[in-house]
Amino acid sequence: MEIPLLSYHFPFTVKDKKSMFPGYCFSCSRRKWINPFDRIRCCSLEVQGVQRPWLKPKPSKIDVGERKETVLEEPQMSKHPSSGICSQIEKLVLNKRYREALELFEILEFEGGFELKSSTYDALISACIGLKSIRGVKRVFSYMSSNGFELDLYMRNRVLLMNVKCGMMIDARRLFVEMPEKNLVSWNMIIGGLVDSGDYAEVFRLFFIMWEESLDGGSRTFAMMIRASAGLGHIFVGRQLHTCTLKMGVADNIFVTCALIDMYSKCGSIEDAQCVFDEMPEKTTVGWNSIIAGYALHGYSEEAVSKFYEMRDSGVEMDHFTFSMVLRICTRLASLEHAKQAHASLVRHGFGLDIVANTALVDFYSKWGRMEDARHVFDKMPQKNVISWNALIAGYGNHGHGEEAIEMFEQMLQEKMIPDHVTFLAVLSACSYSGLSECGWAYFKSMSRDHKIKARAMHYACMIELLGKDGLLDEAFALIKTAPFKPTANMWAALLTACRVHENLEIGKLAAEKLYGMEPEKLSNYFVLLNIYNSSGELKEAAAVVQTLRRKGMRMLPACSWIEVKKQPYFFHSGDKSHAQTKGIYQKLDNLMLEISKHGYVPERKYLLPDVDVQEERVILYHSEKLATAFGLINTPGWTPLQIVQSHRICGDCHSAIKLIAMVTGREIVVRDASRFHHFRDATCSCGDYW
């Protein structure tokens, strides 16, 4: 059994520890290998049984000997370009005007035969890297080859880097194998490229070869290897690499420690990640960001926010990644107060115009119905990318503002911003939520016709929901059957929801059967069908579904709702009487029920299970979302909207009740359930009573 690093006191001695690579001595002076490739299997690094041996080095295609022989056979006058062109290319690259530099290079290509200096080739390589231009890489390297440019080790590394940075890993591997001489920079470049491309097993094969050639790996090498172990999900390998870093004296390097925090977090050991963070000699911005991201990754949202405040109080400089992370955590927590503080800190630290942080702000405000705040942030952004537009369009759509979503989409097109498949998902969802059938179909058809975007299952699910909302269940079913791919669970779920709303038992049973086959353990499918049976008066069939659930040992976890008041979350269950303000909450709710009954509210019996007793039937009046609403009304000012999160799909009775509560109290109430956002105002809901 492995001992977690939490029990260690860093730095710890490792001479008695089990090595990651048995048979290999990690001596600081020199290493001896015993069949290193066999040791890969011991560390579970053989992925899918595929091994790709590296080719033996071949002579470089840029063969100086052949070029000299050709010169002897056919003497030619060497052509030297005007120094002005070369210096101009170098100046353009220095000012990051990469495209113009490559355009000027075309003049030299057209004339042909010019001998360029290393500095000019170096500048052209930087231009290709800056533009991520695969075509540029091929042009520059072809020109080098055709003109017989002699590459030294520095330039070979630069050419290798150019291929790696532009994602041309096949060419990069070939160049690496053909290199007559390699140094640590060469190895780090190819290893880093393989890590970035996700070829982790090959990374470790190269790592062994590098050590076999007696090259001492530095902090950068170990940081990349730790990233590779995180990618493989092997915490044992990561721990052994951690041991190596301690032995080699690079464990305190900032890149290594941040890689370790990330590795332990991704491998499920947040305790070890915290231990590494605590032992950092100097906690930098990247270190804080890594531990905050680790807590957020495992769902410890409150702990992540707490770490953010610790970071702020420590005086460490925060960057736009810090704020964008925290805002996304606030979105998960539904914490408006924390988000406001993060927004204020963002502005104070000079990131008020940063595109990443402000996009996260737009996303937060949009998701929680504060569309005026979202639009205000969006309009003040000096630059916007497609993610910024998508966040705002989705926000309008999710809260029932379909026309505003379409207006923003059209504005996006007018500003020459190219939409992606997520943009169309947001637009089609907006049309679906707001019942804009004609617009929805027009945009669905324009995806492939005008924008060359192939419709995916998620887009078809939106169209099925759009048809279902209009009651066109046969057409929705036909769309599923004619889809150019196998229907997904989301598509059948959209049809099943439509059958529940319109009480179509025949198609609903068919959709439910399909979902059972695809997601046999998903409880919500059973309960949607159960509601169909209850609504149609098919109580025996409903009882059979309940018996199936009991036979399988499946039960729905109790619904839970929570609301944040003064930065403190408060949780409620149905019939909950554990809260300190229980008496006031129930009294407030009883008064509300009496008030809305004057406006036509009647508890909806059909949404109850068929075998509940009288006492359980009364619980419907005190569902968790009703209790959270009453608590919020008691403890918040009358001018603020209520933000409530529900762990399950909101029931029909609570939906009807909260609509009327919003009307009689004059409050805005936003409920985020397992299905979507419900924005209640003046006896209406943004979902249009379809969820």
Side-chain angles (χ1 to χ4, degrees):
M1 184 173 131
E2 294 177 355
I3 303 174
L5 289 177
L6 187 62
S7 62
Y8 299 160
H9 297 284
F10 298 139
F12 53 83
T13 58
V14 296
K15 60 184 179 181
D16 296 327
K17 301 294 178 186
K18 181 180 178 182
S19 173
M20 172 186 174
F21 314 118
Y24 171 78
C25 176
F26 267 96
S27 170
C28 293
S29 57
R30 188 49 51 215
R31 296 162 293 281
K32 298 294 182 183
W33 281 94
I34 302 178
N35 199 356
F37 291 103
D38 287 341
R39 302 307 173 191
I40 298 173
R41 298 190 184 92
C42 296
C43 298
S44 304
L45 294 175
E46 186 169 344
V47 178
Q48 298 179 349
V50 178
Q51 293 188 359
R52 289 163 293 182
W54 284 72
L55 299 174
K56 293 182 179 180
K58 297 179 181 178
S60 173
K61 288 188 176 181
I62 306 176
D63 196 307
V64 179
E66 291 182 4
R67 183 169 61 85
K68 288 183 178 179
E69 187 177 326
T70 303
V71 172
L72 290 173
E73 290 179 1
E74 299 180 27
Q76 295 180 355
M77 294 294 292
S78 61
K79 297 162 64 176
H80 298 279
S82 169
S83 60
I85 296 178
C86 292
S87 62
Q88 187 65 23
I89 289 174
E90 294 171 22
K91 287 178 182 178
L92 288 170
V93 171
L94 189 62
N95 290 289
K96 298 184 178 180
R97 295 162 64 178
Y98 304 129
R99 199 172 301 280
E100 295 175 54
L102 288 179
E103 288 173 357
L104 193 57
F105 176 57
E106 287 183 10
I107 298 175
L108 303 179
E109 287 181 295
F110 181 76
E111 294 291 336
F114 288 114
E115 293 183 5
L116 305 184
K117 295 185 296 184
S118 293
S119 59
T120 306
Y121 280 122
D122 202 3
L124 289 169
I125 288 172
S126 296
C128 294
I129 294 173
L131 293 174
K132 296 289 191 291
S133 173
I134 294 176
R135 180 173 175 269
V137 172
K138 292 180 178 179
R139 286 169 53 198
V140 172
F141 188 70
S142 175
Y143 194 87
M144 279 183 176
S145 302
S146 62
N147 286 277
F149 178 71
E150 296 183 22
L151 293 168
D152 58 13
L153 180 58
Y154 170 78
M155 285 305 297
R156 288 182 185 276
N157 282 338
R158 288 287 290 164
V159 172
L160 178 62
L161 178 66
M162 175 174 65
N163 282 269
V164 167
K165 290 294 185 181
C166 293
M168 301 171 63
M169 289 307 301
I170 295 176
D171 292 333
R173 290 183 182 196
R174 176 181 56 79
L175 289 168
F176 181 78
V177 169
E178 292 176 355
M179 290 178 71
E181 179 187 0
K182 306 178 183 72
N183 59 10
L184 185 59
V185 175
S186 314
W187 287 97
N188 283 342
M189 281 181 187
I190 194 67
I191 288 174
L194 290 169
V195 172
D196 291 338
S197 62
D199 198 350
Y200 304 121
E202 196 69 14
V203 167
F204 277 93
R205 288 176 59 81
L206 264 186
F207 179 66
F208 289 129
I209 295 171
M210 183 187 76
W211 280 83
E212 189 177 35
E213 294 187 4
S214 300
L215 277 173
D216 289 324
S219 57
R220 183 178 177 185
T221 308
F222 278 107
M224 290 187 294
M225 297 309 302
I226 292 166
R227 282 180 56 202
S229 65
L232 287 172
H234 292 312
I235 193 169
F236 171 74
V237 176
R239 281 178 173 154
Q240 295 302 323
L241 285 167
H242 189 177
T243 300
C244 294
T245 64
L246 289 163
K247 196 169 185 178
M248 300 296 292
V250 295
D252 289 340
N253 178 271
I254 181 61
F255 298 106
V256 172
T257 52
C258 290
L260 284 169
I261 293 169
D262 180 68
M263 180 273 296
Y264 283 127
S265 299
K266 289 179 177 176
C267 291
S269 181
I270 191 64
E271 295 86 0
D272 287 341
Q274 180 65 55
C275 188
V276 173
F277 177 76
D278 290 340
E279 293 295 327
M280 288 180 69
E282 181 182 357
K283 295 176 175 59
T284 63
T285 302
V286 179
W288 280 102
N289 287 349
S290 299
I291 193 64
I292 291 171
Y295 277 105
L297 178 67
H298 290 281
Y300 300 118
S301 300
E302 293 179 4
E303 289 82 354
V305 172
S306 176
K307 286 292 177 186
F308 166 70
Y309 288 128
E310 286 183 34
M311 178 182 182
R312 182 193 64 182
D313 296 340
S314 71
V316 173
E317 183 178 353
M318 293 180 276
D319 60 14
H320 60 281
F321 292 112
T322 311
F323 294 111
S324 61
M325 261 194 313
V326 170
L327 288 167
R328 286 180 173 84
I329 294 168
C330 291
T331 302
R332 187 190 302 171
L333 286 173
S335 175
L336 183 61
E337 290 301 320
H338 288 307
K340 283 182 176 179
Q341 287 207 19
H343 188 176
S345 296
L346 182 152
V347 174
R348 283 198 304 270
H349 286 78
F351 295 102
L353 302 178
D354 181 80
I355 189 170
V356 175
N358 278 279
T359 297
L361 265 178
V362 172
D363 182 62
F364 173 82
Y365 285 131
S366 296
K367 283 183 175 176
W368 290 103
R370 303 182 69 88
M371 293 311 302
E372 291 183 2
D373 292 332
R375 185 62 181 271
H376 177 73
V377 174
F378 182 84
D379 289 341
K380 283 188 170 295
M381 292 175 65
Q383 290 183 326
K384 307 173 183 69
N385 57 20
V386 67
I387 302 174
S388 313
W389 286 95
N390 290 349
L392 189 65
I393 292 170
Y396 277 124
N398 288 336
H399 294 283
H401 305 299
E403 293 181 357
E404 288 87 345
I406 291 174
E407 179 185 341
M408 291 307 300
F409 177 66
E410 293 295 338
Q411 184 178 333
M412 175 183 180
L413 296 179
Q414 290 174 8
E415 296 189 13
K416 307 300 181 183
M417 184 68 66
I418 300 175
D420 58 12
H421 71 278
V422 179
T423 312
F424 277 98
L425 178 62
V427 172
L428 295 177
S429 297
C431 294
S432 173
Y433 290 173
S434 299
L436 303 173
S437 300
E438 291 184 8
C439 289
W441 281 107
Y443 288 127
F444 183 73
K445 293 175 182 177
S446 74
M447 283 181 63
S448 57
R449 184 187 66 227
D450 302 330
H451 302 279
K452 310 304 178 187
I453 297 175
K454 188 176 181 180
R456 306 185 184 188
M458 60 185 78
H459 303 111
Y460 272 82
C462 288
M463 302 316 296
I464 292 165
E465 186 172 323
L466 192 61
L467 290 168
K469 197 165 189 177
D470 291 338
L472 303 174
L473 301 183
D474 292 330
E475 288 82 351
F477 185 45
L479 184 60
I480 290 180
K481 292 192 293 184
T482 58
F485 42 75
K486 185 178 179 180
T488 63
N490 285 340
M491 295 167 67
W492 287 113
L495 182 62
L496 184 57
T497 298
C499 294
R500 174 183 64 82
V501 172
H502 296 287
E503 300 183 358
N504 188 313
L505 186 60
E506 182 180 356
I507 299 179
K509 287 172 66 177
L510 177 62
E513 289 171 1
K514 294 290 186 180
L515 280 170
Y516 291 162
M518 301 172 77
E519 301 175 329
E521 303 303 320
K522 192 171 182 179
L523 279 170
S524 60
N525 298 330
Y526 293 88
F527 281 88
V528 171
L529 183 61
L530 191 61
N531 281 332
I532 292 175
Y533 284 137
N534 284 334
S535 301
S536 304
E538 304 283 343
L539 299 183
K540 289 184 179 180
E541 287 77 3
V545 174
V546 174
Q547 290 302 319
T548 301
L549 289 170
R550 289 175 176 170
R551 186 177 67 254
K552 290 187 174 184
M554 300 169 67
R555 57 184 292 271
M556 184 70 80
L557 295 174
C560 175
S561 298
W562 62 93
I563 183 173
E564 184 185 68
V565 176
K566 298 178 181 178
K567 300 185 189 178
Q568 179 68 38
Y570 294 90
F571 298 86
F572 297 91
H573 293 90
S574 295
D576 194 347
K577 294 187 177 181
S578 61
H579 197 276
Q581 293 181 255
T582 294
K583 183 176 180 181
I585 292 170
Y586 275 77
Q587 184 177 355
K588 178 69 172 180
L589 188 54
D590 288 340
N591 293 337
L592 288 170
M593 293 297 103
L594 182 62
E595 183 68 21
I596 64 176
S597 64
K598 298 176 183 177
H599 296 273
Y601 168 73
V602 177
E604 297 186 26
R605 170 69 174 84
K606 66 180 180 180
Y607 289 102
L608 292 174
L609 299 182
D611 59 348
V612 299
D613 56 26
V614 176
Q615 183 178 358
E616 287 176 307
E617 184 173 351
R618 177 172 169 73
V619 173
I620 195 172
L621 298 175
Y622 303 108
H623 274 183
S624 61
E625 49 265 61
K626 291 193 182 83
L627 295 175
T629 300
F631 175 79
L633 292 171
I634 293 172
N635 292 281
T636 59
W639 49 269
T640 59
L642 300 183
Q643 309 276 355
I644 299 169
V645 181
Q646 225 277 15
S647 60
H648 292 34
R649 187 189 298 261
I650 188 172
C651 74
D653 179 76
C654 288
H655 193 271
S656 300
I658 294 176
K659 281 199 301 183
L660 293 172
I661 290 173
M663 181 188 70
V664 299
T665 60
R667 299 286 291 272
E668 294 180 27
I669 304 174
V670 180
V671 178
R672 174 65 168 107
D673 72 354
S675 172
R676 65 186 65 190
F677 285 90
H678 300 266
H679 197 89
F680 297 98
R681 180 190 293 176
D682 298 330
T684 62
C685 179
S686 59
C687 74
D689 299 335
Y690 186 94
W691 74 100

